[in-house]
Amino acid sequence: MDDYIDPSEILGDILSDWRDYWHGESPYERTLSLLRHMVALPYPDECLPLVVSYLWANPKFSSVLPVLFCYGQPGSAKSNLAIIASKLRESDPLNADNCTAVSLRNTCNSQKFLDAEAAFEADGALLILDNVQTATFRENRNLLSLFLGGYKRGQDKVQIGGKDGANIEFYTFSSRIISSVEPLHLEYDLRELASRCWVVPHQQLDKIPDETLSRQGFSIEDSIKPEDVNWQNFSSEYLKFWGSKANCKLFAACKKSLRNTEKFAPRAWEMSRDVLATGMAIGAFEDAKKAKLALARYQMLMDSFEAQSTPLEEILKDDFLSKVNGVAELDNALLVHFIDGQTNKKNFLERPKPKAIEDAMKRLGWHKRKGQWIKAN
């Protein structure tokens, strides 16, 4: 249409170009440079090398890939990371509130192949599911099954009956990123999903120490939102890398060099190897030893209290209990007043239920007795 007004032409002049932030010798360095302007993490040393490696991983050459779980309070930039991943891999994020197992299955299958006969696998299949809640998987077991099976090649085939009686086959193996304010990885009935996840803790910017921001190279003054960037042709960087046979052979050589000599847990190693090999290929790790060291550091983080605590626990610890340090008893009315205030400030999507508050306080060492909170000895 000759009279069509293209929004990209109109808005192009007011948007920053992604190339303005794309600096460095390797894909890893260039991606880090970009992230420094858009995503601040509370544990950058442990998480960034693995996160960037995951963004560049290619399911086409992988056997097993974990689910990248971006987890943290509202306003902690979880969506920023998902948007960057979507632009790199040309995959639009989906909202968990209006998705079904069928729609996700079809999305995975359509991304996975270049042809209708499924003879040629595409590069970079990625599924992004935003705003996931515990109920998302509890109330839709088919959706949970899709995520449980889709992390491993060979276990991702879904069959349904066609109109002519013949089975129709779908394949759901892909990279997958989910985000939530709820601690899905701590829910007992979602433990199988949790065992397939790499948790990436997020935190609101004003709660990340300046020293941590400095280590990451993140500057609030120089930060920019992904929606204020013109991402045109950004995905060509990913396709160009994996379109090189030399890079694909390098990935294969890196994967061959990775052996579980440190005796990581079998599943943890199985779902890490392809991402670590990608990291070596893009310049995140100098060799297999450095790659495995990065994995060990991340696992130590996940074993720590900070990573296991929920956003509710973080708020109680940092903004409530720290103010009453040295007190052995607390009136429950004080806690109720604090929770009300945090809810009004929109630090929770909804007011935490009494059971969730009680469980969080117990994990922090407090027990309720006759309207009082008693600190454990």
Side-chain angles (χ1 to χ4, degrees):
M1 299 175 61
D2 295 337
D3 57 348
Y4 177 71
I5 300 176
D6 188 345
S8 63
E9 294 180 3
I10 302 298
L11 300 175
D13 292 338
I14 67 172
L15 298 177
S16 299
D17 193 286
W18 60 268
R19 297 173 187 85
D20 296 338
Y21 314 102
W22 196 247
H23 307 297
E25 296 297 322
S26 66
Y28 177 68
E29 291 178 353
R30 292 192 284 271
T31 308
L32 273 187
S33 175
L34 183 79
L35 291 178
R36 288 190 186 106
H37 295 273
M38 302 180 197
V39 179
L41 296 178
Y43 305 101
D45 301 328
E46 295 86 353
C47 293
L48 275 176
L50 296 179
V51 167
V52 174
S53 299
Y54 189 90
L55 297 184
W56 282 86
N58 192 347
K60 179 179 176 180
F61 293 98
S62 300
S63 303
V64 183
L65 290 171
V67 178
L68 199 68
F69 174 29
C70 299
Y71 160 67
Q73 302 170 22
S76 56
K78 300 182 297 297
S79 296
N80 286 3
L81 186 59
I83 290 172
I84 294 169
S86 74
K87 301 303 182 182
L88 184 66
R89 306 273 285 270
E90 290 188 330
S91 176
D92 293 332
L94 304 172
N95 194 299
D97 292 336
N98 49 28
C99 280
T100 65
V102 173
S103 65
L104 291 185
R105 179 200 68 197
N106 294 343
T107 298
C108 288
N109 198 71
S110 64
Q111 290 182 352
K112 193 172 179 63
F113 299 105
L114 296 171
D115 61 318
E117 290 74 29
F120 300 97
E121 190 167 342
D123 289 303
L126 170 65
L127 179 65
I128 302 174
L129 193 59
D130 197 13
N131 196 32
V132 177
Q133 302 178 36
T134 305
T136 303
F137 293 116
R138 282 181 176 162
E139 297 174 2
N140 193 332
R141 307 306 289 186
N142 289 334
L143 184 62
L144 178 60
S145 296
L146 185 148
F147 268 81
L148 294 180
Y151 92 113
K152 189 173 187 178
R153 184 180 293 276
Q155 296 184 5
D156 63 327
K157 184 168 72 173
V158 178
Q159 286 187 330
I160 63 171
K163 293 182 179 180
D164 59 357
N167 286 333
I168 302 174
E169 295 182 347
F170 296 86
Y171 294 87
T172 60
F173 175 61
S174 66
S175 304
R176 283 151 303 143
I177 299 175
I178 60 176
S179 64
S180 179
V181 299
E182 297 185 11
L184 307 180
H185 59 301
L186 300 182
E187 298 292 339
Y188 181 78
D189 56 345
L190 297 180
R191 60 193 181 278
E192 276 297 304
L193 176 65
S195 71
R196 291 161 167 78
C197 285
W198 273 4
V199 183
V200 182
H202 288 250
Q203 207 166 35
Q204 292 169 339
L205 190 57
D206 60 356
K207 293 187 177 181
I208 301 178
D210 291 340
E211 186 272 333
T212 301
L213 294 176
S214 179
R215 284 206 322 275
Q216 185 177 339
F218 186 93
S219 169
I220 297 177
E221 292 76 16
D222 296 332
S223 62
I224 187 171
K225 296 181 179 179
E227 53 265 35
D228 293 331
V229 174
N230 182 350
W231 295 101
Q232 187 173 4
N233 296 324
F234 181 54
S235 61
S236 64
E237 295 291 312
Y238 181 88
L239 297 175
K240 181 171 62 178
F241 180 87
W242 287 106
S244 163
K245 184 173 287 189
N247 287 336
C248 296
K249 288 184 175 180
L250 174 60
F251 165 81
C254 292
K255 184 173 180 178
K256 184 177 181 180
S257 72
L258 285 163
R259 293 289 180 266
N260 191 13
T261 53
E262 283 73 11
K263 297 183 179 179
F264 291 101
R267 174 172 284 182
W269 175 252
E270 178 187 48
M271 70 182 194
S272 302
R273 192 179 175 202
D274 285 305
V275 180
L276 295 180
T278 302
M280 293 170 64
I282 65 171
F285 313 116
E286 294 178 14
D287 51 37
K289 183 177 180 179
K290 294 287 180 60
K292 289 185 283 188
L293 179 61
L295 179 61
R297 291 183 66 186
Y298 170 76
Q299 290 189 339
M300 287 180 63
L301 171 66
M302 288 298 101
D303 291 337
S304 69
F305 168 78
E306 288 82 4
Q308 294 299 316
S309 63
T310 67
L312 173 58
E313 284 178 54
E314 293 175 10
I315 291 173
L316 288 173
K317 177 185 175 185
D318 296 340
D319 299 331
F320 180 65
L321 295 176
S322 65
K323 306 293 191 302
V324 295
N325 192 31
V327 176
E329 290 190 19
L330 287 169
D331 192 303
N332 186 56
L334 292 175
L335 178 58
V336 171
H337 178 72
F338 172 78
I339 293 294
D340 288 341
Q342 295 296 310
T343 303
N344 292 336
K345 292 178 183 177
K346 307 299 183 183
N347 284 334
F348 304 118
L349 291 182
E350 59 182 19
R351 194 183 194 284
K353 294 178 174 58
K355 180 66 165 59
I357 297 171
E358 185 173 349
D359 289 346
M361 288 292 284
K362 283 182 179 179
R363 286 193 289 268
L364 291 167
W366 292 78
H367 298 272
K368 192 176 182 182
R369 185 186 304 160
K370 297 182 180 179
Q372 297 288 315
W373 287 98
I374 313 298
K375 186 173 177 59
N377 295 327

